[in-house]
Amino acid sequence: PTLTMADALLDDLDDLSDVEPEEETNNNAAEETALGNDGGIISAEHQAHNTANGNNETATDATNNNTNNRLLNNDALKSHLQSIRTIQQKDNNTKMSHHKNSKEEDEHEHQLILASNKHLASLRSELHNTHLDICKSYHPKFPELEELITDPFQYRAAIGIIQNELDVTNVNEQLNDVLSSNQIITISVAGSTTNGRMLTQEELNQVNDACLYLDELQSVKNELTSFVESRMEQWSPSVCALVGPA
């Protein structure tokens, strides 16, 4: 049969009705991606905030992992330090009683000396790596400083004073306690032209935590060194008289 104009128009309307549900489905999908679980609209700012929170959590997790993996948390080192402190306490007691070590006690101390030397090597490596971590963490604030002060403990002392201060000359008096006059002048000039920025509180906390860890490492290193030196004087007095115990 011949199609009338009305029939043709109805066919066109049928075709349009077939397409509209698909477009509506696409629109609904787009709307759902912009809605939260509670039906609220997720703004770009909210999405950026969630991303930032995720990044912060990742950074915090990384910091926690680094803290857990620190050498001073090593069980073998902790046990060794306890053994040394026990020996030293015993020394203080035997000085009054004039007690002489047995052969077994001497052998035990000899093994402690050997183990101390191994731990000292690990501590020196950990001190170096911690200094590098501090430099990396403080670099955004004062990138030139690590090249101007190369001694790890002077660098640590300097940033402990400077912290987030933008004008280094404001802390020159405190820096006099840890740096020479020439060093202070040099870093004051560098500080006035640096491209560094203030650290966030989280970044500054990370720097200060690493500085405290550096102090703890040095304290343990000094304790082990003192023990080895005192024992070497007993085991090899003639050698120590010539070259010293260290």
Side-chain angles (χ1 to χ4, degrees):
T2 304
L3 289 176
T4 64
M5 184 177 296
D7 292 332
L9 182 57
L10 288 174
D11 288 341
D12 290 340
L13 289 175
D14 288 338
D15 292 338
L16 286 175
S17 64
D18 291 337
V19 173
E20 285 176 356
E22 181 178 354
E23 292 178 349
E24 183 178 354
T25 300
N26 292 337
N27 290 336
N28 289 339
E31 289 176 2
E32 287 174 1
T33 60
L35 295 177
N37 292 333
D38 59 354
I41 295 177
I42 301 176
S43 65
E45 180 181 356
H46 183 69
Q47 291 178 350
H49 177 71
N50 288 340
T51 302
N53 284 342
N55 291 338
N56 288 338
E57 290 174 1
T58 301
T60 302
D61 290 342
T63 301
N64 291 337
N65 288 335
N66 290 336
T67 301
N68 293 334
N69 291 331
R70 286 176 170 176
L71 178 63
L72 294 187
N73 292 328
N74 180 272
D75 290 337
L77 178 57
K78 287 181 179 180
S79 176
H80 181 73
L81 288 170
Q82 185 58 49
S83 297
I84 284 177
R85 290 161 185 164
T86 300
I87 290 288
Q88 290 173 330
Q89 183 61 45
K90 179 184 171 185
D91 283 349
N92 294 332
N93 296 333
T94 55
K95 283 179 182 178
M96 302 181 65
S97 63
H98 304 288
H99 169 76
K100 289 191 66 176
N101 284 349
S102 65
K103 184 177 179 180
E104 290 78 13
E105 289 172 328
D106 283 341
E107 178 59 26
H108 177 59
E109 287 193 13
H110 182 247
Q111 293 301 319
L112 286 178
I113 293 173
L114 296 178
S116 292
N117 284 326
K118 292 181 179 179
H119 286 302
L120 281 169
S122 298
L123 285 164
R124 283 189 289 269
S125 176
E126 185 83 344
L127 280 164
H128 175 71
N129 291 334
T130 302
H131 171 61
L132 294 181
D133 288 341
I134 294 173
C135 291
K136 182 179 179 181
S137 298
Y138 198 69
H139 186 86
K141 169 64 176 68
F142 199 162
E144 300 85 358
L145 189 64
E146 61 204 61
E147 296 181 2
L148 299 176
I149 304 179
T150 56
D151 180 83
F153 299 100
Q154 279 191 324
Y155 181 84
R156 177 261 178 274
I159 66 175
I161 293 171
I162 299 172
Q163 293 285 284
N164 247 343
E165 178 62 58
L166 293 177
D167 186 354
V168 178
T169 59
N170 289 336
V171 293
N172 278 357
E173 186 175 348
Q174 296 97 305
L175 289 172
N176 272 321
D177 295 332
V178 296
L179 301 177
S180 68
S181 297
N182 288 338
Q183 286 176 312
I184 293 174
I185 292 172
T186 301
I187 67 173
S188 295
V189 173
S192 65
T193 59
T194 184
N195 291 324
R197 60 166 176 82
M198 288 186 66
L199 300 178
T200 66
Q201 190 58 51
E202 184 177 353
E203 289 172 330
L204 189 60
N205 290 342
Q206 185 176 350
V207 169
N208 290 332
D209 177 68
C211 287
L212 290 176
Y213 181 58
L214 188 79
D215 295 340
E216 293 172 2
L217 284 169
Q218 183 64 9
S219 176
V220 172
K221 178 175 175 287
N222 289 341
E223 183 178 356
L224 289 183
T225 300
S226 177
F227 171 77
V228 172
E229 288 178 353
S230 67
R231 262 45 202 179
M232 289 303 294
E233 289 174 356
Q234 295 179 17
W235 283 79
S236 305
S238 58
V239 174
C240 289
L242 292 173
V243 300

